Amino acid sequence: MRGERVRVYRARPCGGVWQQEFPDAMAWPSIGLPEDCRPLLAPGRLAFVGESDRVVCHGGASIEEVIVPLVRVVGAGE
């Protein structure tokens, strides 16, 4: 599957091919994921798009993507 911040392969991405095109991309370990799920993350705050393309997206290996805020709204009577 092709995403802007991550690409998911069914097999381990071929090192020579993706490393030439995306030398700073990170192959994410598939711990806790299905065996045929091999994510490849775009480096830093970049994306898998053309150099002149601008996109607004989320995802990646950053603390902002790991922490999920929890908000609980409670009425006055509770």
Coordinates of all heavy atoms in Angstrom, one line a residue:
M1 N 0.9 -1.2 0.0 CA 0.0 0.0 0.0 C 0.9 1.2 0.0 O 1.9 1.3 0.7 CB -0.9 0.0 1.2 CG -1.9 -1.1 1.2 SD -3.1 -0.9 2.6 CE -2.0 -1.3 4.0
R2 N 0.5 2.2 -0.7 CA 1.3 3.4 -0.8 C 0.6 4.6 -0.1 O -0.5 5.0 -0.4 CB 1.4 3.8 -2.3 CG 2.3 5.0 -2.5 CD 2.5 5.3 -4.0 NE 3.3 6.5 -4.0 CZ 3.1 7.4 -5.0 NH1 2.2 7.3 -5.9 NH2 3.8 8.5 -5.0
G3 N 1.3 5.1 0.9 CA 0.8 6.2 1.7 C 1.7 7.4 1.5 O 2.8 7.2 0.9
E4 N 1.4 8.5 2.1 CA 2.3 9.6 2.0 C 3.4 9.6 3.0 O 4.5 10.0 2.8 CB 1.5 10.9 2.1 CG 0.5 11.1 1.0 CD -0.4 12.3 1.2 OE1 -0.7 12.6 2.3 OE2 -0.9 12.8 0.1
R5 N 3.1 9.1 4.2 CA 4.1 9.0 5.3 C 4.6 7.6 5.5 O 5.7 7.5 6.1 CB 3.5 9.6 6.6 CG 3.2 11.0 6.6 CD 4.4 11.9 6.8 NE 4.9 11.6 8.1 CZ 6.2 11.4 8.3 NH1 7.1 11.5 7.3 NH2 6.7 11.1 9.5
V6 N 3.9 6.6 5.1 CA 4.3 5.3 5.3 C 3.9 4.4 4.1 O 2.9 4.7 3.5 CB 3.8 4.7 6.6 CG1 2.3 4.6 6.6 CG2 4.4 3.3 6.9
R7 N 4.7 3.5 3.7 CA 4.4 2.5 2.7 C 4.4 1.1 3.4 O 5.3 0.9 4.2 CB 5.4 2.5 1.6 CG 5.2 3.8 0.7 CD 6.1 3.8 -0.5 NE 5.8 5.0 -1.3 CZ 6.4 5.2 -2.4 NH1 7.3 4.4 -2.9 NH2 6.0 6.3 -3.1
V8 N 3.5 0.3 3.1 CA 3.4 -1.0 3.7 C 3.6 -2.1 2.6 O 2.9 -2.1 1.6 CB 2.0 -1.2 4.4 CG1 1.9 -2.6 5.0 CG2 1.8 -0.1 5.5
Y9 N 4.5 -2.9 2.9 CA 4.9 -4.0 1.9 C 4.4 -5.3 2.5 O 4.4 -5.5 3.8 CB 6.4 -4.0 1.6 CG 6.9 -2.8 1.0 CD1 7.3 -1.7 1.7 CD2 6.9 -2.7 -0.4 CE1 7.8 -0.5 1.1 CE2 7.3 -1.5 -1.1 CZ 7.8 -0.5 -0.3 OH 8.2 0.7 -0.9
R10 N 4.1 -6.3 1.7 CA 3.8 -7.7 2.2 C 5.0 -8.5 2.5 O 5.0 -9.3 3.3 CB 3.0 -8.4 1.2 CG 1.6 -7.8 1.1 CD 0.7 -8.7 0.2 NE -0.6 -8.2 0.2 CZ -1.6 -8.6 -0.5 NH1 -1.4 -9.7 -1.2 NH2 -2.8 -8.1 -0.4
A11 N 6.1 -8.1 1.8 CA 7.4 -8.8 2.1 C 8.4 -7.7 2.5 O 8.2 -6.5 2.3 CB 7.9 -9.5 0.8
R12 N 9.5 -8.1 3.0 CA 10.5 -7.2 3.4 C 11.0 -6.4 2.2 O 11.3 -7.0 1.2 CB 11.7 -7.9 4.0 CG 12.8 -7.1 4.7 CD 13.8 -7.9 5.4 NE 13.3 -8.8 6.3 CZ 12.9 -8.6 7.6 NH1 13.1 -7.4 8.0 NH2 12.4 -9.5 8.4
P13 N 10.9 -5.0 2.3 CA 11.3 -4.2 1.1 C 12.7 -4.6 0.7 O 13.6 -4.7 1.5 CB 11.2 -2.8 1.7 CG 10.4 -2.9 2.9 CD 10.6 -4.2 3.4
C14 N 12.9 -4.7 -0.6 CA 14.2 -5.0 -1.2 C 15.2 -3.8 -0.8 O 14.9 -2.7 -1.3 CB 14.1 -5.2 -2.7 SG 13.1 -6.5 -3.1
G15 N 16.2 -4.1 -0.1 CA 17.1 -3.0 0.4 C 17.6 -2.1 -0.7 O 17.6 -0.9 -0.6
G16 N 18.2 -2.7 -1.8 CA 18.8 -1.8 -2.8 C 17.8 -0.9 -3.5 O 18.1 0.3 -3.8
V17 N 16.6 -1.3 -3.7 CA 15.6 -0.5 -4.4 C 15.1 0.7 -3.6 O 15.3 1.8 -4.0 CB 14.4 -1.4 -4.9 CG1 13.3 -0.5 -5.5 CG2 14.8 -2.5 -5.8
W18 N 14.6 0.4 -2.4 CA 14.1 1.6 -1.7 C 15.2 2.4 -1.0 O 15.0 3.6 -0.8 CB 13.0 1.1 -0.6 CG 13.5 0.3 0.5 CD1 13.6 -1.1 0.6 CD2 14.1 0.7 1.8 NE1 14.1 -1.5 1.8 CE2 14.4 -0.4 2.5 CE3 14.3 2.0 2.3 CZ2 14.9 -0.3 3.8 CZ3 14.8 2.1 3.6 CH2 15.1 0.9 4.3
Q19 N 16.3 1.8 -0.7 CA 17.4 2.6 -0.1 C 18.0 3.6 -1.1 O 18.5 4.7 -0.8 CB 18.5 1.7 0.4 CG 18.1 1.1 1.8 CD 19.1 0.2 2.4 OE1 20.0 -0.3 1.7 NE2 19.1 0.1 3.7
Q20 N 18.0 3.3 -2.4 CA 18.4 4.2 -3.4 C 17.5 5.4 -3.6 O 17.9 6.5 -3.7 CB 18.6 3.5 -4.8 CG 19.8 2.6 -4.8 CD 19.9 1.8 -6.1 OE1 19.2 2.1 -7.0 NE2 20.9 0.9 -6.1
E21 N 16.2 5.1 -3.6 CA 15.2 6.1 -3.8 C 14.9 6.9 -2.5 O 14.7 8.1 -2.6 CB 13.9 5.5 -4.3 CG 12.9 6.5 -4.8 CD 11.7 5.9 -5.5 OE1 11.7 4.7 -5.7 OE2 10.8 6.7 -5.8
F22 N 14.9 6.2 -1.4 CA 14.6 6.9 -0.1 C 15.7 6.5 0.9 O 15.5 5.7 1.8 CB 13.3 6.4 0.4 CG 12.1 6.5 -0.6 CD1 11.6 5.4 -1.1 CD2 11.7 7.8 -1.0 CE1 10.5 5.5 -2.0 CE2 10.6 7.8 -1.9 CZ 10.1 6.7 -2.4
P23 N 16.9 7.1 0.8 CA 18.0 6.6 1.6 C 17.8 6.8 3.1 O 18.4 6.1 3.9 CB 19.2 7.4 1.1 CG 18.6 8.6 0.4 CD 17.3 8.2 -0.1
D24 N 17.0 7.8 3.5 CA 16.8 8.0 5.0 C 15.5 7.4 5.5 O 15.2 7.5 6.7 CB 16.7 9.5 5.2 CG 18.1 10.2 4.9 OD1 19.1 9.5 5.1 OD2 18.1 11.3 4.4
A25 N 14.8 6.6 4.7 CA 13.6 6.0 5.2 C 13.9 4.9 6.2 O 15.0 4.3 6.2 CB 12.8 5.4 4.0
M26 N 13.0 4.6 7.1 CA 13.2 3.6 8.1 C 12.3 2.4 8.0 O 11.1 2.6 8.0 CB 13.0 4.3 9.5 CG 13.3 3.4 10.6 SD 13.2 4.3 12.2 CE 11.4 4.7 12.3
A27 N 12.9 1.3 7.9 CA 12.1 0.0 7.9 C 11.7 -0.3 9.3 O 12.5 -0.5 10.2 CB 12.9 -1.1 7.3
W28 N 10.4 -0.2 9.6 CA 9.8 -0.4 10.9 C 9.7 -1.9 11.2 O 9.3 -2.7 10.4 CB 8.4 0.2 11.0 CG 7.9 0.3 12.4 CD1 7.0 -0.5 13.0 CD2 8.2 1.3 13.3 NE1 6.7 -0.1 14.2 CE2 7.4 1.1 14.5 CE3 9.0 2.5 13.3 CZ2 7.5 1.9 15.6 CZ3 9.1 3.3 14.5 CH2 8.3 3.0 15.6
P29 N 10.2 -2.3 12.4 CA 10.1 -3.7 12.8 C 8.6 -4.1 12.9 O 7.8 -3.3 13.4 CB 10.8 -3.8 14.1 CG 10.8 -2.5 14.7 CD 10.8 -1.5 13.5
S30 N 8.3 -5.3 12.4 CA 6.9 -5.7 12.4 C 6.5 -6.4 13.7 O 5.7 -7.3 13.7 CB 6.6 -6.6 11.2 OG 7.5 -7.7 11.3
I31 N 7.0 -6.0 14.9 CA 6.7 -6.5 16.2 C 5.2 -6.1 16.5 O 4.8 -5.0 16.4 CB 7.6 -6.0 17.3 CG1 9.0 -6.4 17.0 CG2 7.1 -6.4 18.7 CD1 10.0 -5.7 17.9
G32 N 4.4 -7.1 16.7 CA 3.0 -6.9 17.0 C 2.1 -6.7 15.8 O 0.9 -6.5 15.9
L33 N 2.7 -6.8 14.6 CA 2.0 -6.6 13.4 C 1.9 -8.0 12.7 O 2.7 -8.9 13.0 CB 2.7 -5.6 12.4 CG 2.8 -4.2 13.0 CD1 3.6 -3.4 12.0 CD2 1.4 -3.6 13.1
P34 N 1.0 -8.2 11.7 CA 1.0 -9.4 11.0 C 2.3 -9.6 10.2 O 3.0 -8.7 9.9 CB -0.1 -9.3 10.0 CG -1.0 -8.2 10.6 CD -0.1 -7.3 11.4
E35 N 2.7 -10.9 10.0 CA 4.0 -11.2 9.4 C 4.1 -10.6 8.0 O 5.2 -10.2 7.5 CB 4.2 -12.7 9.2 CG 4.8 -13.3 10.5 CD 6.1 -12.7 10.9 OE1 7.0 -12.7 10.0 OE2 6.3 -12.4 12.0
D36 N 3.0 -10.4 7.3 CA 3.0 -9.8 5.9 C 2.8 -8.3 5.9 O 2.5 -7.7 4.9 CB 2.0 -10.5 5.0 CG 0.6 -10.2 5.4 OD1 0.4 -9.8 6.6 OD2 -0.3 -10.5 4.6
C37 N 3.1 -7.7 7.1 CA 2.9 -6.2 7.2 C 4.3 -5.6 7.5 O 4.8 -5.8 8.6 CB 2.0 -5.9 8.3 SG 1.7 -4.1 8.5
R38 N 5.0 -5.0 6.5 CA 6.3 -4.5 6.6 C 6.3 -3.0 6.3 O 6.4 -2.6 5.2 CB 7.3 -5.2 5.6 CG 7.3 -6.7 5.8 CD 8.0 -7.0 7.0 NE 8.2 -8.5 7.1 CZ 8.9 -9.1 8.0 NH1 9.6 -8.4 8.8 NH2 9.0 -10.4 8.0
P39 N 6.1 -2.1 7.3 CA 6.0 -0.7 7.1 C 7.4 -0.1 6.8 O 8.4 -0.5 7.4 CB 5.5 -0.1 8.4 CG 5.0 -1.3 9.2 CD 5.8 -2.5 8.7
L40 N 7.4 0.9 5.9 CA 8.6 1.7 5.6 C 8.2 3.1 5.9 O 7.2 3.6 5.2 CB 9.0 1.5 4.2 CG 10.2 2.3 3.7 CD1 11.5 1.8 4.4 CD2 10.4 2.1 2.2
L41 N 8.8 3.8 6.8 CA 8.4 5.2 7.2 C 9.3 6.2 6.5 O 10.5 6.0 6.4 CB 8.6 5.4 8.7 CG 7.4 4.8 9.6 CD1 7.3 3.3 9.5 CD2 7.6 5.3 11.0
A42 N 8.6 7.3 6.1 CA 9.4 8.4 5.5 C 10.2 9.1 6.6 O 9.8 9.1 7.8 CB 8.4 9.4 5.0
P43 N 11.4 9.6 6.3 CA 12.2 10.2 7.3 C 11.7 11.5 7.8 O 11.1 12.3 7.1 CB 13.6 10.4 6.6 CG 13.2 10.5 5.2 CD 12.0 9.7 5.0
G44 N 12.0 11.8 9.1 CA 11.7 13.1 9.7 C 10.2 13.5 9.5 O 9.3 12.8 9.7
R45 N 10.1 14.7 9.0 CA 8.8 15.2 8.7 C 8.5 15.2 7.2 O 7.7 16.0 6.6 CB 8.6 16.6 9.2 CG 8.7 16.6 10.8 CD 8.2 17.9 11.4 NE 8.4 17.9 12.8 CZ 7.5 17.3 13.7 NH1 6.4 16.8 13.2 NH2 7.7 17.4 15.0
L46 N 9.2 14.4 6.4 CA 9.1 14.3 5.0 C 8.0 13.2 4.6 O 7.5 12.5 5.5 CB 10.4 13.9 4.3 CG 11.6 14.9 4.6 CD1 12.8 14.3 4.0 CD2 11.2 16.2 4.1
A47 N 7.7 13.2 3.3 CA 6.7 12.2 2.9 C 7.1 11.6 1.5 O 8.0 12.1 0.9 CB 5.3 12.9 2.7
F48 N 6.5 10.5 1.2 CA 6.8 9.9 -0.1 C 6.0 10.5 -1.2 O 5.1 10.0 -1.8 CB 6.4 8.4 0.0 CG 7.2 7.6 0.9 CD1 6.7 7.0 2.1 CD2 8.6 7.4 0.7 CE1 7.4 6.3 2.9 CE2 9.4 6.7 1.6 CZ 8.8 6.1 2.7
V49 N 6.4 11.8 -1.5 CA 5.8 12.6 -2.6 C 6.9 13.2 -3.4 O 8.0 13.2 -3.0 CB 4.7 13.6 -2.1 CG1 3.6 12.9 -1.4 CG2 5.4 14.6 -1.1
G50 N 6.5 13.9 -4.5 CA 7.5 14.6 -5.3 C 8.1 15.7 -4.5 O 7.5 16.3 -3.6
E51 N 9.3 16.1 -4.9 CA 10.1 17.1 -4.1 C 9.3 18.4 -4.0 O 9.4 19.1 -3.0 CB 11.4 17.3 -4.7 CG 12.4 18.0 -3.9 CD 13.8 18.0 -4.4 OE1 14.2 17.0 -5.0 OE2 14.5 19.0 -4.3
S52 N 8.6 18.8 -5.1 CA 7.9 20.1 -5.1 C 6.5 20.0 -4.6 O 5.8 21.0 -4.4 CB 7.9 20.7 -6.5 OG 7.2 19.8 -7.4
D53 N 6.0 18.8 -4.3 CA 4.7 18.6 -3.7 C 4.6 19.0 -2.3 O 5.5 18.7 -1.5 CB 4.2 17.2 -3.9 CG 4.0 16.8 -5.3 OD1 3.9 17.7 -6.2 OD2 4.0 15.5 -5.6
R54 N 3.5 19.6 -1.9 CA 3.3 20.0 -0.5 C 2.0 19.2 0.0 O 1.0 19.3 -0.7 CB 3.1 21.5 -0.3 CG 4.4 22.2 -0.6 CD 4.2 23.7 -0.6 NE 4.2 24.5 0.6 CZ 5.3 24.5 1.5 NH1 6.3 23.7 1.3 NH2 5.2 25.3 2.5
V55 N 2.1 18.5 1.1 CA 1.0 17.7 1.6 C 0.8 18.0 3.1 O 1.7 18.4 3.8 CB 1.2 16.2 1.4 CG1 1.2 15.9 -0.1 CG2 2.4 15.7 2.0
V56 N -0.4 17.8 3.5 CA -0.8 17.9 4.9 C -1.2 16.5 5.3 O -2.2 16.0 4.8 CB -1.9 18.9 5.2 CG1 -2.3 18.9 6.7 CG2 -1.5 20.3 4.8
C57 N -0.4 15.8 6.2 CA -0.7 14.5 6.6 C -0.2 14.2 7.9 O 0.5 15.0 8.5 CB -0.2 13.5 5.5 SG 1.6 13.6 5.2
H58 N -0.5 13.0 8.5 CA 0.0 12.6 9.8 C 0.6 11.2 9.7 O 0.5 10.6 8.7 CB -1.1 12.7 10.8 CG -2.1 11.7 10.7 ND1 -2.0 10.4 11.2 CD2 -3.3 11.7 10.0 CE1 -3.1 9.7 10.9 NE2 -3.9 10.5 10.1
G59 N 1.2 10.8 10.7 CA 1.9 9.5 10.8 C 3.4 9.6 10.8 O 3.9 10.6 10.4
G60 N 4.0 8.6 11.3 CA 5.5 8.6 11.4 C 6.0 8.2 12.7 O 5.2 8.0 13.7
A61 N 7.3 8.2 12.9 CA 7.9 7.8 14.1 C 8.2 9.1 14.9 O 9.4 9.5 15.0 CB 9.2 7.0 13.8
S62 N 7.2 9.7 15.5 CA 7.4 10.9 16.3 C 6.6 10.7 17.6 O 5.6 10.0 17.6 CB 7.1 12.2 15.6 OG 5.7 12.2 15.3
I63 N 7.0 11.4 18.6 CA 6.2 11.3 19.9 C 4.8 11.8 19.7 O 3.9 11.3 20.4 CB 7.0 12.1 21.0 CG1 6.4 11.7 22.4 CG2 7.0 13.6 20.8 CD1 6.7 10.3 22.8
E64 N 4.6 12.8 18.8 CA 3.3 13.3 18.6 C 2.3 12.2 18.1 O 1.1 12.3 18.2 CB 3.3 14.5 17.6 CG 4.0 15.7 18.2 CD 5.5 15.7 17.9 OE1 6.0 14.7 17.3 OE2 6.1 16.7 18.2
E65 N 2.9 11.2 17.4 CA 2.0 10.2 16.8 C 1.8 9.0 17.8 O 1.0 8.1 17.6 CB 2.7 9.6 15.5 CG 2.7 10.6 14.4 CD 1.3 11.0 13.9 OE1 0.4 10.2 14.0 OE2 1.2 12.1 13.4
V66 N 2.6 9.0 18.9 CA 2.5 7.9 19.8 C 1.6 8.2 21.0 O 0.8 7.3 21.4 CB 3.9 7.5 20.4 CG1 3.8 6.5 21.4 CG2 4.8 7.1 19.2
I67 N 1.6 9.4 21.4 CA 0.8 9.8 22.6 C -0.6 10.2 22.1 O -0.8 11.0 21.2 CB 1.4 11.0 23.3 CG1 2.7 10.6 23.9 CG2 0.4 11.5 24.4 CD1 3.5 11.7 24.6
V68 N -1.6 9.6 22.7 CA -3.0 9.8 22.3 C -3.7 10.5 23.5 O -3.8 9.9 24.6 CB -3.8 8.5 22.0 CG1 -5.2 8.8 21.7 CG2 -3.1 7.8 20.9
P69 N -4.1 11.8 23.4 CA -4.7 12.5 24.6 C -6.0 11.9 24.9 O -6.8 11.5 24.0 CB -4.7 13.9 24.1 CG -4.8 13.8 22.6 CD -4.0 12.6 22.2
L70 N -6.4 11.9 26.2 CA -7.7 11.4 26.6 C -8.4 12.6 27.3 O -7.8 13.2 28.2 CB -7.6 10.3 27.6 CG -8.8 9.8 28.2 CD1 -9.8 9.3 27.2 CD2 -8.6 8.8 29.3
V71 N -9.5 13.0 26.8 CA -10.3 14.1 27.4 C -11.6 13.5 27.9 O -12.3 12.8 27.1 CB -10.6 15.2 26.3 CG1 -11.4 16.3 26.9 CG2 -9.2 15.7 25.8
R72 N -11.9 13.8 29.1 CA -13.2 13.3 29.6 C -14.0 14.5 30.0 O -13.6 15.3 30.8 CB -13.0 12.4 30.9 CG -14.2 11.8 31.4 CD -13.9 10.8 32.5 NE -15.1 10.3 33.0 CZ -15.2 9.7 34.2 NH1 -14.2 9.5 34.9 NH2 -16.4 9.3 34.6
V73 N -15.2 14.6 29.4 CA -16.1 15.7 29.7 C -17.1 15.2 30.7 O -17.8 14.2 30.5 CB -16.8 16.3 28.4 CG1 -17.7 17.4 28.8 CG2 -15.7 16.7 27.4
V74 N -17.2 15.9 31.8 CA -18.1 15.5 32.9 C -19.1 16.6 33.2 O -18.7 17.8 33.3 CB -17.4 15.1 34.2 CG1 -18.3 14.7 35.3 CG2 -16.3 14.1 33.9
G75 N -20.4 16.3 33.3 CA -21.4 17.3 33.5 C -21.3 17.8 35.0 O -20.7 17.2 35.8
A76 N -22.0 18.9 35.3 CA -21.9 19.5 36.6 C -22.5 18.6 37.7 O -22.0 18.6 38.8 CB -22.7 20.8 36.6
G77 N -23.4 17.7 37.3 CA -24.0 16.8 38.3 C -23.3 15.5 38.6 O -23.7 14.7 39.4
E78 N -22.2 15.3 37.9 CA -21.5 14.0 38.1 C -20.3 14.1 39.0 O -19.6 15.0 39.1 CB -21.0 13.5 36.7 CG -22.2 13.1 35.8 CD -21.7 12.5 34.5 OE1 -20.7 11.7 34.5 OE2 -22.3 12.8 33.5

